[in-house]
Amino acid sequence: MTETEYMRMALELAGKGAGLVSPNPMVGAVIVKDGEIIGKGYHKQYGGPHAERNALADCTASPEGATLYVTLEPCCHHGKTPPCTDAILASGIRRVVVGIRDPNPPMAGKGIEILRAAGVEAVEGVLEDECRRLNEVFFYYIQTRTPYVVMKYAMTMDGMTATRTGQSKWITGEAARQNVHRDRGRYSAIMVGIGTVLADDPLLTCRAEGVRNPVRIICDTRLRVPVNSQIAQTAAVVPTMIATASSDIEKHKPFSSATASTAICRRIWIIFIWMTIFPRFIAPRTSAFRRSTKSSVGSRKTSPVTSSSSATVFMTWRSPKSTA
């Protein structure tokens, strides 16, 4: 096998961590000795061992003198786990092939420098573009310090989201619906407007197996989320935030009062917001969507498409120290 093939195998391993390792990046590693793969691993869950350590633990032979293929530069700092550079040096690995450098400025290149200073050969840039695309979300936040936002919008070819009476079922097909649930498991949060909650009473959970639910964020200026909605009734098991500008204490009571009729409603976080915050978070990643929507609808004279009943925003935010 070639170096590219070993790195592609590491990329496939890394993808298994989708939806499980956030806010860390997905990372995969393969250890090769004398032309044979002796160990494989990937970052399986946030707070758990990194890919390099899992690959070392998987070794069927001594890794001394072996080559390590890893999709992202090994970490060199103490976080939730010890530095991976320490484990690599202790194992006796003599060559490390890195897909792409860590984008975090305090860490970028330092892991490679430590390895080289210890006499380990370090090669960079093998399948670099693929490695970057794998962690597009992570790279975007680290480099811009703004959340990565994806807008999902379903409408008919003539720009409609429901019948004239407001009735609406699935506009998209099964494949698209499955992709939506994969997105829910992949991103940190899902955000909708109060119009969606009132019209559809959605759960906004991930029905894909083996991944966690995103935090549900409801933009509700006047705090109209019904206490008997599925959002409120499942707040004990699915993290939920309501962003509102309402200061009406009576409206807050069903969600925050110690005497609320259902304890689960008290698990909802009520957040006051300034309306100027929203455009700053959303604009960087939705301007292209707005342009494409306009061009696809063109000059057709249809009823306005209201985002309150059909738009969903997936959001991921990251900590600057998210490689821990």
Side-chain angles (χ1 to χ4, degrees):
M1 293 179 66
T2 65
E3 289 195 336
T4 298
E5 290 173 322
Y6 287 129
M7 187 61 73
R8 202 170 298 283
M9 182 182 294
L11 279 166
E12 292 176 1
L13 288 166
K16 294 182 178 182
L20 301 171
V21 301
S22 176
N24 283 355
M26 294 173 280
V27 183
V30 175
I31 300 175
V32 179
K33 185 175 183 179
D34 298 328
E36 299 290 333
I37 296 172
I38 63 170
K40 297 185 292 184
Y42 66 97
H43 188 26
K44 296 181 178 180
Q45 63 180 23
Y46 176 66
H50 290 186
E52 299 92 326
R53 290 180 178 274
N54 282 333
L56 286 168
D58 183 61
C59 280
T60 56
S62 170
E64 186 173 358
T67 296
L68 167 69
Y69 295 86
V70 61
T71 57
L72 185 68
E73 177 182 3
C75 69
C76 60
H77 65 287
H78 286 271
K80 290 186 177 295
T81 59
C84 287
T85 50
D86 288 358
I88 293 170
L89 295 176
S91 71
I93 284 174
R94 301 311 303 164
R95 187 168 181 265
V96 176
V97 180
V98 176
I100 191 169
R101 286 194 176 199
D102 190 325
N104 200 356
M107 308 300 166
K110 290 186 171 53
I112 292 173
E113 289 176 7
I114 289 172
L115 294 175
R116 286 174 175 164
V120 175
E121 180 186 356
V123 179
E124 302 179 59
V126 176
L127 295 184
E128 182 172 350
D129 290 341
E130 288 89 336
C131 291
R132 181 182 290 104
R133 282 197 296 271
L134 174 71
N135 285 301
E136 183 181 16
V137 173
F138 175 77
F139 274 69
Y140 181 82
Y141 178 77
I142 291 296
Q143 294 171 343
T144 67
R145 294 298 189 265
T146 56
Y148 181 96
V149 178
V150 175
M151 177 170 277
K152 167 262 185 182
Y153 207 108
M155 64 181 179
T156 60
M157 290 291 288
D158 59 355
M160 299 296 183
T161 61
T163 65
R164 185 167 300 187
T165 61
Q167 294 180 331
S168 177
K169 190 59 176 174
W170 290 316
I171 295 174
T172 56
E174 181 63 28
R177 291 193 292 275
Q178 290 178 359
N179 188 61
V180 164
H181 285 286
R182 283 195 294 269
D183 281 345
R184 291 183 183 184
R186 194 158 52 221
Y187 297 111
S188 300
I190 179 170
M191 182 168 66
V192 299
I194 182 59
T196 296
V197 176
L198 295 177
D200 301 337
D201 190 23
L203 269 172
L204 303 180
T205 55
C206 177
R207 263 80 92 186
E209 294 184 3
V211 293
R212 61 192 178 189
N213 286 312
V215 175
R216 301 179 300 192
I217 303 174
I218 315 301
C219 296
D220 183 7
T221 305
R222 294 182 300 229
L223 197 51
R224 294 182 291 157
V225 172
V227 174
N228 64 348
S229 66
Q230 292 194 93
I231 293 290
Q233 294 299 309
T234 56
V237 292
V238 184
T240 305
M241 301 180 183
I242 300 177
T244 183
S246 173
S247 58
D248 188 334
I249 300 302
E250 292 302 314
K251 289 185 176 181
H252 284 229
K253 282 183 178 180
F255 303 106
S256 58
S257 172
T259 59
S261 58
T262 54
I264 54 177
C265 290
R266 298 198 299 273
R267 297 292 297 274
I268 295 178
W269 305 328
I270 304 295
I271 303 173
F272 288 97
I273 60 171
W274 290 278
M275 297 310 291
T276 55
I277 293 178
F278 183 80
R280 175 176 177 266
F281 283 163
I282 302 303
R285 300 299 293 186
T286 58
S287 57
F289 165 81
R290 288 195 294 270
R291 288 194 296 272
S292 63
T293 301
K294 182 177 180 181
S295 62
S296 64
V297 174
S299 60
R300 297 176 66 90
K301 294 182 179 180
T302 62
S303 300
V305 178
T306 56
S307 60
S308 61
S309 63
S310 59
T312 302
V313 172
F314 298 102
M315 180 182 297
T316 294
W317 57 87
R318 294 287 182 267
S319 163
K321 297 181 180 179
S322 58
T323 54

